[in-house]
Amino acid sequence: MEYKIELVNLSVYYGDFHALRNINMQIGAKTITALIGPSGCGKSTMLRTINRINELIDGTRIEGKILIDQKDIYHPKTDILQLRKKAGMVFQRPNCFPLSVYDNITYGPRVHGIKKKAELDEIVEKSLRATWLWDELKEKMKKSALSLSLEYQQRLCIARVLALGSEIILLDEPCSALDPITTLRIEELLVELKKDYTIIIVTHNMQQAARVSNYSGYMLMGELVEVNETSKIFTSPQDKRTEDYITGRFG
Amino acid sequence: MLKPIFWEQVMKKILFVGTAITVFILFFIIFYILKNGLAVVDMEFLLSSPKDFGRAGGIFPCIVGTIVLSLVAIIIATPLGVGTSIYLSEYTRESKLTSIIRFGTDCLAGIPSIIFGLFGFVLFVVYLGLGWSILSGGLTIAFMILPTIIRTSEEAIKSVPDYYREVSLSLGGTKWQTIVKVVLPSALPGIVTGIILGVARSIEETAIVIFTAGSVLRIPTSLFDSCRTMSVHFYILAREGISMENAYGTATILIITILLINAFAYWLMHRLMAKYS
């Protein structure tokens, strides 16, 4: 089987701090993988390393490889802009630009050079439909995105990534600012999106990992302790540390 | 021993008196100028040329001179100033060098304008041979207002939340696209405020204009012509005892201009800020 994303002996340092320790992981296409673990264990770092947004932090250093579609994304010849287009990120807090709904969604396509109104309109409709926002928002294209509810804003952020034409969606605790009901709706959306996209979600919420993901990885202090099918992780973890965490004895 | 509540009362009163004095002085100056000046201000005063060195007639050439000179200064200073602030806040990391540059701009902001005037005279008027001209004056005033524009723009750019940049980059935008499409629009109200402060300072500037743009009382027809601004006109009328009435008249127009610019700045800022929030 060919994997969509492969992490090979991946280590990340922030200055002297060893944030990720020798991670090896394979992620298949059109699956949802959840990364769980206590705060500071490196889940977000791992996600941000795949989008290469982590490099913005001073003193970040990386060893090992990340392959997407068998290509090393840290190869010097990698087109970083194309990589970020392919693997889009959704952040913890809804972070729409202070622009209209329409301009938020078309931001990505525009920076990648799409200018034609008809083409942009089509992208907007497609990504809003995919995130179940079209019926609600089709009349409100010109409204400020910041006037929407947090849930809608977060869905808009997901739509913004879809509009890029991404193949991979990286979500960094996307529901931590949302209430339980809206969280469920985002989860349903993710399960629906899995049909077309490869999704990695970092979450603090173990029920969430159990509900949405096919595979789960448990991380602790920069190490990937265990990764397996979600049902197995939650019913018969192989590692004692994983078991302690998911049974609530630790973390 | 006096109780804290006593000091609370006393300080509140002292602060109120201080505020009252400030406001009183401001209104007194405006009232005094308007009282003495409004009598001579009419359309004739605004639209006709001075006669007899300004004893009679209007101040039209000075109004034109003021507008053109400020315009030249702002056209030069805006791209330089905003560009510098973008470079400082987006393209450099905090280091010794950036703090030296910042210290330098702060010092520049504190230099008396007459010294800028002398510098402009030596460099532009004499050495580069531009003579007393709108170009010499505009360039020199631009240098004077640069620090204002740089610092206000930099503060505005810094106050743009970091996550805007992060999102834009994470979507595959380049740094420049991020600056143009996200950072600058959000920072615009602050940047515009800086530019308008710069306009106001160039309109009221006197020393630099005398040193570098001269005081010829004609409507300028090219950038290489000398011109006289309202501030300079006022200075000469009052200083040489030519006509106090017309000096007050000129001052009235000057003050009204500054008030209008400030009002416009407020209006524009609120409009820009209200755009999407």
Side-chain angles (χ1 to χ4, degrees), chain B residues 26-91:
Chain B
L26 175 70
F27 279 98
F28 179 74
I29 293 176
I30 293 177
F31 171 77
Y32 186 77
I33 299 283
L34 293 187
K35 180 177 159 291
N36 287 294
L38 273 178
V40 295
V41 174
D42 52 18
M43 281 319 265
E44 174 77 21
F45 186 74
L46 288 175
L47 296 178
S48 68
S49 283
K51 294 181 190 86
D52 197 10
F53 302 109
R55 257 178 218 105
I59 57 165
F60 186 62
C62 304
I63 296 178
V64 174
T66 307
I67 293 172
V68 174
L69 198 60
S70 308
L71 217 59
V72 170
I74 215 71
I75 287 171
I76 297 165
T78 300
L80 269 179
V82 176
T84 307
S85 65
I86 292 174
Y87 183 73
L88 279 179
S89 50
E90 299 289 320
Y91 282 97

Side-chain angles (χ1 to χ4, degrees), chain A:
Chain A
M1 173 175 171
E2 286 200 342
Y3 295 108
K4 186 76 182 168
I5 308 170
E6 282 178 84
L7 312 183
V8 186
N9 300 327
L10 179 73
S11 282
V12 173
Y13 301 82
Y14 295 124
D16 292 334
F17 178 65
H18 201 160
L20 285 186
R21 292 165 190 268
N22 204 26
I23 308 265
N24 283 287
M25 189 174 181
Q26 295 85 33
I27 293 165
K30 298 179 187 175
T31 59
I32 299 185
T33 305
L35 296 174
I36 54 175
S39 295
C41 66
K43 316 177 290 270
S44 294
T45 296
M46 187 158 137
L47 207 61
R48 295 164 59 92
T49 309
I50 300 174
N51 176 271
R52 287 189 67 173
I53 196 75
N54 224 31
E55 295 167 21
L56 300 183
I57 302 167
D58 276 351
T60 310
R61 198 157 51 80
I62 168 168
E63 285 168 8
K65 279 183 192 167
I66 298 180
L67 308 175
I68 293 182
D69 295 329
Q70 282 80 50
K71 284 202 192 87
D72 182 4
I73 64 167
Y74 278 89
H75 190 277
K77 283 192 182 145
T78 301
D79 181 343
I80 191 164
L81 304 180
Q82 287 304 315
L83 163 73
R84 287 177 176 160
K85 182 179 162 188
K86 198 170 194 176
M89 268 206 77
V90 176
F91 296 81
Q92 198 165 354
R93 290 203 55 86
N95 52 9
C96 298
F97 295 118
L99 300 170
S100 66
V101 169
Y102 186 87
D103 289 342
N104 260 285
I105 300 179
T106 54
Y107 188 86
R110 277 188 178 138
V111 299
H112 288 285
I114 297 177
K115 289 199 182 83
K116 278 195 207 115
K117 179 90 169 72
E119 206 174 337
L120 291 170
D121 285 350
E122 196 189 314
I123 291 173
V124 168
E125 181 172 346
K126 221 172 127 194
S127 16
L128 283 181
R129 280 194 192 283
T131 46
W132 307 332
L133 286 169
W134 177 249
D135 291 332
E136 310 275 350
L137 294 185
K138 63 183 172 196
E139 308 293 334
K140 300 180 183 164
M141 287 297 171
K142 290 213 167 93
K143 264 187 89 173
S144 164
L146 300 184
S147 68
L148 303 175
S149 71
L150 279 182
E151 182 207 351
Y152 277 33
Q153 287 193 36
Q154 193 61 304
R155 268 158 56 184
L156 194 62
C157 290
I158 297 174
R160 192 167 59 182
V161 167
L162 302 187
L164 277 175
S166 294
E167 294 162 25
I168 298 164
I169 310 175
L170 309 163
L171 302 107
D172 190 357
E173 296 186 42
C175 300
S176 61
L178 304 178
D179 66 54
I181 294 171
T182 50
T183 297
L184 281 179
R185 283 205 290 267
I186 298 270
E187 288 173 8
E188 279 174 47
L189 173 62
L190 293 181
V191 172
E192 179 71 26
L193 289 174
K194 184 184 70 174
K195 290 174 189 161
D196 299 304
Y197 299 89
T198 307
I199 297 173
I200 307 180
I201 177 170
V202 161
T203 176
H204 258 117
N205 178 335
M206 279 183 286
Q207 286 78 31
Q208 182 169 62
R211 281 191 300 260
V212 300
S213 65
N214 310 99
Y215 297 90
S216 289
Y218 171 59
M219 295 182 69
L220 183 65
M221 296 173 70
E223 272 180 72
L224 183 62
V225 175
E226 186 172 352
V227 57
N228 210 333
E229 283 169 36
T230 299
S231 55
K232 286 187 182 146
I233 286 272
F234 281 91
T235 54
S236 52
Q238 302 297 303
D239 196 291
K240 179 77 172 60
R241 291 170 292 176
T242 316
E243 190 182 339
D244 285 351
Y245 185 74
I246 59 168
T247 53
R249 251 171 288 175
F250 164 74

